[in-house]
Amino acid sequence: MATHYLTEEVQNKYHYTVGPYVSPVLRVRPGDTIVVETRDAFEGRITHEGIKPSQVLEYPYVNPQNGPVYVEGAEPGDCLAVRIDSIKPRGPQPRGTTCLVPYFGGLTATDLTAMLHDPLPEIVRKLEVTEEHVTWNTRLKFPYKPFIGTISTSPRIDSIGALTPGNHGGNMDLPDICPGATIYLPVRIEGALLYLGDCHATQGDGELCGVAIEHPTRTTITVDVRKQWTLSWPRLESDTFIMSIGSARPMEDAARIAYADLVKWLVADYGFDKWDAYLVLTQIGRARLGNMVDPNYTIGAGIAKTYLPE
Amino acid sequence: MATHYLTEEVQNKYHYTVGPYVSPVLRVRPGDTIVVETRDAFEGRITHEGIKPSQVLEYPYVNPQNGPVYVEGAEPGDCLAVRIDSIKPRGPQPRGTTCLVPYFGGLTATDLTAMLHDPLPEIVRKLEVTEEHVTWNTRLKFPYKPFIGTISTSPRIDSIGALTPGNHGGNMDLPDICPGATIYLPVRIEGALLYLGDCHATQGDGELCGVAIEHPTRTTITVDVRKQWTLSWPRLESDTFIMSIGSARPMEDAARIAYADLVKWLVADYGFDKWDAYLVLTQIGRARLGNMVDPNYTIGAGIAKTYLPE
Amino acid sequence: MATHYLTEEVQNKYHYTVGPYVSPVLRVRPGDTIVVETRDAFEGRITHEGIKPSQVLEYPYVNPQNGPVYVEGAEPGDCLAVRIDSIKPRGPQPRGTTCLVPYFGGLTATDLTAMLHDPLPEIVRKLEVTEEHVTWNTRLKFPYKPFIGTISTSPRIDSIGALTPGNHGGNMDLPDICPGATIYLPVRIEGALLYLGDCHATQGDGELCGVAIEHPTRTTITVDVRKQWTLSWPRLESDTFIMSIGSARPMEDAARIAYADLVKWLVADYGFDKWDAYLVLTQIGRARLGNMVDPNYTIGAGIAKTYLPE
Amino acid sequence: MATHYLTEEVQNKYHYTVGPYVSPVLRVRPGDTIVVETRDAFEGRITHEGIKPSQVLEYPYVNPQNGPVYVEGAEPGDCLAVRIDSIKPRGPQPRGTTCLVPYFGGLTATDLTAMLHDPLPEIVRKLEVTEEHVTWNTRLKFPYKPFIGTISTSPRIDSIGALTPGNHGGNMDLPDICPGATIYLPVRIEGALLYLGDCHATQGDGELCGVAIEHPTRTTITVDVRKQWTLSWPRLESDTFIMSIGSARPMEDAARIAYADLVKWLVADYGFDKWDAYLVLTQIGRARLGNMVDPNYTIGAGIAKTYLPE
């Protein structure tokens, strides 16, 4: 099992769309570990609190992704299992960034929920981020709870913007994609072509204003291939639960996708009767709101492993 | 402080709509405690697993509510604070009921999400419920985690079906409305007119199939009036967090309502700047999906008290 | 066949909620004609362009409704057929009103689509309305195309705010409910209890800002009862087409309801095979957006009579 | 002004995704005319009524597109104006196809509105299509009212599936994109890269079951470039009206996009005050439902030219 280093230098050019039209930056084997230097979602352009995001951001060149990583032996119909080993902040302080971006967020008119309002004010916060805390102000510190905001395998022929989550993974912004968990992604082309980036130092459910504590990281993952495990949507497994992940609008469709896929999973792999799974999840299912701000919203639906047969 | 007993006998006639058009069944004072005998959502009509729900249910006569309780001194513009002291199951075993009701639920076509599919099968489960467990089958037990599914104050002039949640409270199906918590409801008419019912023995996020573990209970609450605390939407407080509750369709609107109200609350009562509240909730807000099955969906948005100033 | 006059004097008190809890103001027989003096949606309180709507409107006391009219012989399970004979403007000029109301409308944040924006400006336009035209300014005149914005039968036990459309009819704001057409409403209680009001002098699809050309009218209708024609949702018939009307959020659910009901109608009354109806409507169905601003959105789905068997 | 022939032979390989990653099949100049041989949405694979769509369709290889056509002089920030000169059916009879595809359509559970229902039946209709009629059966003929279902310019870096409409155009399924109209599309890369296909012989509002009368055509268009007319969303112009086109989910967001863009257009090019435009569209705006079945829904919002200043 080799360890690969996908440093800024090796990556060189980051990507803003996820598809089959670029050459792999790295080739690895199932079982290999990769240490990835991710950039923050603004690619470091928001350097101080006096900057207006609208001055330095140019769509669609946001949310830079590392990759694609070609995984040997991954073929359409397989599943790529990505275990997140660790996420560490890197770069000079204050290395954390959050801000209000015009017409982007959960409590503002947007390009898609179009209205006649003027934009909300642009506000930037630069924050010290350590492996223990995010320091908000003299009174408030948040625990460092890092996760990968965006992780994808390549669609077959589409190339999807790095801001959009979907059945390829993408910008799910789901805090459960964190160290200790394994995310399962559908393999749709040979080699899978794994992309990732957009690590958050912490984030609330829904990523309310659209910008969590963005920060550059050194993220270590280990990839594996599950042959002939054909997923329609991403799934996740931690020590204590399994979860299906849906991304769609309106939000109820994300919830429906996630729960319907979880029913399917319980039936296929855990011996549940279909209607029994539906009824059991009614009583003990757990839902997690990833984002309520991206082109699709993301909800994860899970069940504790204690309720699964051995 | 008096204790009142709203038994089945005292209640006599249960209600299926929540409004100002019926006489109070009880009059209490702020600080008084009420022990309420709630019926299950089917009013006990689903007595065994051989029954088809469609044979015994007749809309809109479902989800029976106790009340209304007139609270002395409660006036429009005030808030009614209802602390849930305890919820105990009652009635003969198997006292728990869940089932699949035709064209009702989260993963089925419904009257509102109309399609051309035949209905899913009607399935009934009758379950033993104790103060410790719900026994699903020989392998699976769920912890008894009771809460009030439906609790409301009266609208000013509308009378709203007991299945519908809204800014009057109603059928929120939010598991956080449980013993130890206080639910805050807006007072819109003199005396507030409190209604409640629909207690669940346990429920997963979203109440996936639309029917949790329904059961009759003895529910003890204590009511209080907060003068001139004028709420737009219900709020909740536990030992560890505060929460605003939105109910709407599509689901993102429920989330928007809840988070927007929480921003307002942080500004009004906790000294936050509006934009700071928005940014802070982005990092540490918590969302809970109540129901994804009722005429409106319900989401609670909360923040841990550890992040609030003393 | 009698003609009844429901003048302002006879009506005396207008209603802001639609339900079974008030006494009929009039009793009529099937085949009778009623001449109704409707008030405008603001009940005449917006008298000049210098007024701010927020100063004179008090929720929920808006959208005044005439009625309820008790129709002899109408019983639950029947259909109430209301033919609109004519609509004439009344009252002193400028008798037309449109305006921007804070947090109400299709291109603004609202109470239900909650955001952190300040409200759009309050603007009032008072307009001359004749039986030929609405005069917008020196350049623009709109043809007078009046219709009934809100028309309902009573729910069984709920009382629904006059701003809300639903399966009882209500605030559909559908321009097809105009002279020459017959609207069919489900009868859910004895006597049906018909309410109506909110006539518009003209309106675009969607009623974009939420306020059409509101004006007081003398509206003449003729009511009839179709025994045992049990509707789930309102329907409409003109000389040239039939239409089913759905009201829900999100908007696609309004469209689904309307088209699914139209499939049902084609099968039940016009001899279509279910799947053939679905396929035929795909090719020649017509959809009309009523409102995109009310608590539910309204869409009518229709088919030209030329495609129906004789 | 040259005329180019984009025959099946010239096209050779059709495309199922719309983006910048393929080489132009044709280069034209502003003012040039192109005669395009489009294939039907199933690429002719549904040859008779005994075929099940699920047997012959393989996602994402559906909805074949001609192009891309490189337009000389078109640069980012410009607008590509495509006038539809004519659409003629071609190919052997019965050349029209409609069908029910499993889990696709407006009145069925789908991959995105996931449910636990079995799929609706698969039904195929093969139909005679002439320049006058579509013959449904011995009783029913529909007028031939052809239009282009899918027409796009290339996104900057994304490649978007041919089934999806968006701000690049795409699978809008809007019957107003018909002979005599000009569709305006944003130019986002040099040469614009125009794609088109998916012509329908007729279609109802919403394309209810998801499959209109699909047929191969000879479609003649003339392209032009409007320098520095920078569109956010597609627009359309006919002899009698102008229209903005929004595509999103939920459907109200499509309507909001369309109407908000139309307000912007009226202000920028027709001298309207912003609030006056909002108020005027409330009274005389027209909305057209394109599709209610694709990954985004499409609504066009228009205003008659008679209400525009000269």
Side-chain angles (χ1 to χ4, degrees):
Chain A
M1 306 306 167
T3 297
H4 308 262
Y5 293 87
L6 188 46
T7 61
E8 296 232 358
E9 292 69 30
V10 172
Q11 181 64 48
N12 188 22
K13 184 176 162 5
Y14 286 70
H15 299 287
Y16 311 97
T17 186
V18 167
Y21 301 107
V22 291
S23 297
V25 67
L26 195 69
R27 283 173 175 263
V28 306
R29 293 209 170 126
D32 283 1
T33 292
I34 317 170
V35 181
V36 184
E37 289 186 355
T38 69
R39 289 185 174 165
D40 76 31
F42 305 117
E43 213 151 2
R45 279 195 287 266
I46 300 182
T47 49
H48 61 90
E49 296 192 346
I51 282 181
K52 289 199 174 180
S54 61
Q55 294 169 329
V56 297
L57 303 181
E58 186 198 359
Y59 292 94
Y61 305 103
V62 291
N63 201 16
Q65 299 296 300
N66 292 76
V69 176
Y70 186 103
V71 183
E72 306 281 355
E75 294 169 307
D78 296 343
C79 165
L80 189 70
V82 182
R83 192 182 72 221
I84 298 115
D85 299 317
S86 68
I87 300 177
K88 307 286 181 191
R90 66 185 182 92
Q93 298 284 10
R95 50 170 75 125
T97 306
T98 184
C99 58
L100 301 187
V101 176
Y103 294 128
F104 183 68
L107 297 179
T108 173
T110 66
D111 288 353
L112 294 176
T113 304
M115 296 178 167
L116 299 180
H117 293 282
D118 290 331
L120 301 181
E122 296 191 62
I123 292 173
V124 168
R125 293 298 316 278
K126 292 295 293 185
L127 302 153
E128 186 165 303
V129 175
T130 68
E131 289 183 37
E132 281 79 40
H133 290 104
V134 176
T135 302
W136 186 258
N137 58 28
T138 51
R139 184 175 71 78
L140 278 180
K141 277 178 195 234
F142 311 140
Y144 183 65
K145 294 207 173 174
F147 68 97
I148 301 176
T150 308
I151 185 165
S152 323
T153 43
S154 175
R156 250 159 127 171
I157 57 174
D158 296 343
S159 194
I160 298 176
L163 287 175
T164 302
N167 63 25
H168 67 299
N171 191 22
M172 296 173 280
D173 291 318
L174 189 70
D176 296 303
I177 308 175
C178 63
T182 298
I183 174 99
Y184 300 116
L185 297 166
V187 177
R188 297 201 166 115
I189 59 170
E190 232 179 74
L193 291 195
L194 174 69
Y195 294 81
L196 74 160
D198 187 30
C199 291
H200 297 167
T202 187
Q203 184 201 292
D205 296 341
E207 200 187 15
L208 187 60
C209 83
V211 185
I213 307 294
E214 313 292 333
H215 74 320
T217 72
R218 186 164 294 104
T219 290
T220 305
I221 58 174
T222 299
V223 300
D224 205 351
V225 173
R226 304 221 174 167
K227 297 303 289 180
Q228 291 305 315
W229 196 39
T230 307
L231 306 188
S232 299
W233 290 89
R235 294 175 176 173
L236 183 139
E237 183 167 2
S238 79
D239 287 349
T240 57
F241 64 88
I242 64 169
M243 177 182 272
S244 289
I245 305 171
S247 295
R249 289 192 180 200
M251 196 185 282
E252 53 264 38
D253 273 0
R256 285 169 174 146
I257 290 166
Y259 266 125
D261 187 73
L262 188 53
V263 167
K264 203 170 120 185
W265 194 358
L266 291 181
V267 170
D269 293 358
Y270 294 97
F272 277 77
D273 166 79
K274 181 180 175 182
W275 309 119
D276 193 54
Y278 188 29
L279 285 161
V280 163
L281 289 174
T282 301
Q283 317 313 333
I284 53 164
R286 289 290 165 254
R288 183 84 185 260
L289 177 58
N291 88 79
M292 55 184 279
V293 296
D294 294 331
N296 289 316
Y297 307 130
T298 298
I299 282 183
I303 181 172
K305 287 183 169 177
T306 52
Y307 297 114
L308 301 179
E310 318 240 334
Chain B
M1 305 307 168
T3 297
H4 307 263
Y5 292 87
L6 189 45
T7 60
E8 295 232 359
E9 291 69 31
V10 172
Q11 181 64 50
N12 187 22
K13 183 178 161 4
Y14 286 71
H15 299 287
Y16 311 97
T17 186
V18 167
Y21 301 107
V22 290
S23 297
V25 67
L26 195 70
R27 284 174 174 264
V28 306
R29 292 207 170 128
D32 283 1
T33 292
I34 317 171
V35 181
V36 184
E37 288 186 354
T38 69
R39 289 185 174 165
D40 76 32
F42 305 117
E43 213 151 1
R45 281 195 287 266
I46 300 182
T47 50
H48 61 89
E49 297 193 347
I51 281 181
K52 287 199 174 180
S54 61
Q55 295 170 326
V56 296
L57 303 181
E58 186 197 359
Y59 292 93
Y61 305 104
V62 291
N63 201 14
Q65 299 294 301
N66 292 77
V69 176
Y70 186 103
V71 182
E72 306 280 355
E75 295 170 307
D78 296 343
C79 165
L80 188 71
V82 182
R83 192 183 69 223
I84 297 114
D85 298 318
S86 69
I87 300 178
K88 306 286 181 193
R90 67 185 180 92
Q93 298 284 12
R95 53 171 70 124
T97 307
T98 185
C99 58
L100 301 188
V101 176
Y103 294 129
F104 182 68
L107 297 179
T108 173
T110 66
D111 288 352
L112 295 177
T113 304
M115 296 177 168
L116 298 181
H117 294 282
D118 291 331
L120 302 181
E122 295 191 63
I123 292 172
V124 168
R125 293 299 316 279
K126 292 294 295 184
L127 302 154
E128 186 165 300
V129 175
T130 68
E131 290 184 36
E132 281 78 42
H133 289 104
V134 176
T135 302
W136 186 257
N137 58 28
T138 52
R139 184 175 70 77
L140 278 181
K141 280 178 193 233
F142 312 140
Y144 183 64
K145 295 208 173 172
F147 69 96
I148 302 175
T150 308
I151 185 165
S152 322
T153 42
S154 176
R156 250 162 127 170
I157 57 174
D158 295 344
S159 194
I160 299 176
L163 286 176
T164 303
N167 63 27
H168 66 299
N171 191 21
M172 296 172 281
D173 291 318
L174 189 70
D176 296 304
I177 308 175
C178 63
T182 298
I183 175 98
Y184 300 117
L185 297 166
V187 178
R188 297 203 165 115
I189 59 170
E190 234 179 73
L193 291 195
L194 175 68
Y195 293 80
L196 74 159
D198 187 30
C199 291
H200 297 167
T202 187
Q203 184 201 290
D205 296 342
E207 199 186 15
L208 186 60
C209 84
V211 185
I213 306 294
E214 313 292 331
H215 73 321
T217 72
R218 185 164 293 104
T219 290
T220 304
I221 59 173
T222 299
V223 300
D224 206 352
V225 174
R226 304 223 173 166
K227 297 302 291 180
Q228 292 304 315
W229 196 40
T230 307
L231 306 189
S232 299
W233 290 88
R235 292 175 178 173
L236 183 140
E237 184 167 1
S238 79
D239 287 348
T240 57
F241 63 87
I242 63 170
M243 177 183 272
S244 290
I245 304 170
S247 295
R249 287 192 179 200
M251 195 185 283
E252 53 266 36
D253 273 0
R256 284 169 175 146
I257 289 166
Y259 265 127
D261 187 74
L262 188 53
V263 167
K264 204 170 119 183
W265 193 0
L266 292 180
V267 170
D269 293 358
Y270 294 96
F272 276 77
D273 166 79
K274 179 180 176 181
W275 309 118
D276 193 53
Y278 188 32
L279 285 160
V280 163
L281 289 174
T282 302
Q283 316 314 332
I284 53 164
R286 289 290 164 254
R288 183 84 184 261
L289 176 58
N291 89 79
M292 56 184 279
V293 297
D294 296 331
N296 289 316
Y297 307 129
T298 299
I299 283 183
I303 180 172
K305 286 184 168 176
T306 52
Y307 297 115
L308 301 178
E310 320 239 336
Chain C
M1 306 304 170
T3 296
H4 307 263
Y5 292 87
L6 188 47
T7 60
E8 296 233 358
E9 292 68 32
V10 172
Q11 180 64 49
N12 187 20
K13 184 178 164 359
Y14 285 70
H15 298 286
Y16 311 98
T17 186
V18 167
Y21 301 107
V22 291
S23 298
V25 68
L26 195 69
R27 281 171 176 266
V28 304
R29 293 207 171 128
D32 283 0
T33 292
I34 317 171
V35 181
V36 185
E37 289 186 354
T38 69
R39 290 186 172 163
D40 77 31
F42 306 118
E43 214 154 359
R45 280 195 287 267
I46 300 182
T47 50
H48 61 89
E49 297 193 346
I51 282 181
K52 289 199 173 179
S54 61
Q55 293 170 329
V56 297
L57 303 181
E58 185 196 0
Y59 292 94
Y61 305 103
V62 292
N63 201 16
Q65 299 296 300
N66 292 77
V69 176
Y70 186 102
V71 182
E72 306 283 353
E75 294 170 306
D78 295 343
C79 165
L80 188 71
V82 182
R83 192 184 70 224
I84 298 114
D85 299 317
S86 69
I87 301 177
K88 305 286 180 193
R90 66 183 182 94
Q93 297 283 14
R95 53 171 72 126
T97 307
T98 184
C99 59
L100 301 187
V101 175
Y103 294 128
F104 184 68
L107 297 179
T108 172
T110 67
D111 288 353
L112 294 177
T113 304
M115 296 178 168
L116 300 179
H117 294 280
D118 291 332
L120 301 181
E122 296 191 63
I123 292 172
V124 168
R125 293 298 316 279
K126 291 294 294 185
L127 302 154
E128 186 164 303
V129 175
T130 67
E131 289 184 37
E132 282 78 40
H133 289 105
V134 176
T135 303
W136 185 257
N137 58 28
T138 52
R139 185 175 70 77
L140 279 180
K141 281 180 193 229
F142 312 139
Y144 183 64
K145 295 209 174 172
F147 68 96
I148 302 175
T150 308
I151 185 165
S152 322
T153 43
S154 176
R156 248 161 129 172
I157 56 173
D158 295 344
S159 194
I160 299 176
L163 287 175
T164 302
N167 62 26
H168 66 301
N171 191 21
M172 295 171 281
D173 291 318
L174 188 70
D176 297 302
I177 307 175
C178 64
T182 298
I183 176 98
Y184 300 117
L185 297 166
V187 178
R188 297 202 166 114
I189 60 171
E190 234 178 74
L193 292 195
L194 174 69
Y195 293 81
L196 75 159
D198 187 29
C199 291
H200 296 168
T202 187
Q203 184 200 293
D205 296 342
E207 200 188 12
L208 187 60
C209 83
V211 185
I213 307 294
E214 314 292 332
H215 73 321
T217 73
R218 185 165 294 106
T219 290
T220 305
I221 58 174
T222 299
V223 300
D224 205 352
V225 174
R226 305 222 173 166
K227 297 303 291 180
Q228 293 304 316
W229 196 39
T230 307
L231 306 188
S232 300
W233 290 88
R235 292 175 177 172
L236 183 139
E237 183 167 0
S238 79
D239 286 349
T240 57
F241 63 88
I242 64 169
M243 178 183 272
S244 291
I245 305 171
S247 295
R249 288 192 179 201
M251 194 184 286
E252 53 265 37
D253 273 0
R256 284 169 175 145
I257 289 166
Y259 266 125
D261 186 73
L262 188 54
V263 167
K264 206 169 117 184
W265 193 1
L266 291 181
V267 170
D269 293 358
Y270 294 96
F272 276 78
D273 166 78
K274 179 179 176 182
W275 308 119
D276 193 54
Y278 188 31
L279 285 161
V280 164
L281 290 174
T282 302
Q283 316 314 333
I284 52 163
R286 288 291 164 253
R288 182 84 185 260
L289 177 58
N291 89 78
M292 54 184 280
V293 297
D294 295 330
N296 289 316
Y297 306 129
T298 298
I299 283 183
I303 181 171
K305 286 182 169 179
T306 52
Y307 296 115
L308 301 180
E310 318 242 331
Chain D
M1 305 307 168
T3 296
H4 308 263
Y5 293 87
L6 189 46
T7 60
E8 296 233 359
E9 293 68 33
V10 172
Q11 181 63 47
N12 188 22
K13 184 179 163 358
Y14 286 70
H15 299 286
Y16 311 97
T17 186
V18 167
Y21 301 107
V22 290
S23 298
V25 68
L26 195 68
R27 284 175 174 262
V28 305
R29 293 207 170 127
D32 283 1
T33 291
I34 318 171
V35 180
V36 185
E37 289 186 354
T38 69
R39 290 185 173 165
D40 76 31
F42 306 117
E43 214 152 359
R45 279 194 288 265
I46 300 183
T47 49
H48 61 89
E49 297 193 347
I51 283 182
K52 289 199 173 181
S54 60
Q55 293 170 327
V56 296
L57 303 181
E58 186 197 0
Y59 292 94
Y61 304 103
V62 291
N63 200 15
Q65 299 296 301
N66 292 76
V69 176
Y70 186 103
V71 182
E72 305 282 355
E75 294 169 307
D78 297 342
C79 165
L80 189 71
V82 182
R83 192 183 71 224
I84 297 114
D85 299 317
S86 69
I87 301 178
K88 306 286 180 192
R90 67 184 180 93
Q93 298 282 14
R95 53 171 72 125
T97 307
T98 184
C99 59
L100 301 187
V101 176
Y103 295 128
F104 183 68
L107 297 178
T108 172
T110 66
D111 288 354
L112 294 177
T113 304
M115 296 178 167
L116 300 180
H117 293 282
D118 290 332
L120 302 180
E122 296 192 62
I123 292 173
V124 168
R125 293 297 317 276
K126 292 295 293 186
L127 303 153
E128 186 165 302
V129 175
T130 68
E131 289 184 37
E132 282 77 41
H133 289 104
V134 176
T135 302
W136 187 257
N137 57 30
T138 52
R139 184 176 70 78
L140 279 179
K141 280 180 192 228
F142 313 139
Y144 184 64
K145 295 208 174 172
F147 68 96
I148 302 176
T150 308
I151 185 166
S152 324
T153 43
S154 176
R156 248 160 129 170
I157 58 175
D158 294 344
S159 193
I160 299 177
L163 287 175
T164 303
N167 63 26
H168 67 299
N171 191 21
M172 296 173 280
D173 290 318
L174 189 70
D176 297 303
I177 308 175
C178 64
T182 299
I183 175 100
Y184 300 117
L185 297 166
V187 178
R188 296 201 167 117
I189 60 171
E190 234 179 74
L193 292 194
L194 175 69
Y195 293 81
L196 75 158
D198 187 29
C199 292
H200 297 167
T202 186
Q203 184 200 290
D205 297 341
E207 200 188 14
L208 186 60
C209 83
V211 185
I213 306 294
E214 314 291 332
H215 73 320
T217 73
R218 186 165 293 104
T219 290
T220 305
I221 58 174
T222 299
V223 300
D224 205 351
V225 174
R226 304 224 173 163
K227 298 301 291 180
Q228 293 304 315
W229 196 39
T230 307
L231 306 188
S232 299
W233 290 87
R235 292 175 178 172
L236 183 139
E237 183 167 0
S238 79
D239 287 349
T240 57
F241 63 88
I242 63 169
M243 178 183 271
S244 289
I245 304 170
S247 295
R249 288 193 181 200
M251 196 185 283
E252 54 264 37
D253 273 0
R256 285 167 174 147
I257 289 166
Y259 265 125
D261 187 74
L262 188 54
V263 167
K264 205 170 118 184
W265 194 0
L266 291 181
V267 170
D269 293 359
Y270 295 96
F272 277 77
D273 166 78
K274 179 181 176 181
W275 309 119
D276 193 54
Y278 188 30
L279 285 160
V280 164
L281 290 174
T282 302
Q283 317 313 333
I284 52 163
R286 289 291 165 254
R288 183 84 186 259
L289 176 58
N291 89 79
M292 55 184 278
V293 297
D294 295 330
N296 290 315
Y297 306 129
T298 298
I299 283 183
I303 181 171
K305 285 183 169 177
T306 52
Y307 297 115
L308 301 178
E310 318 242 334

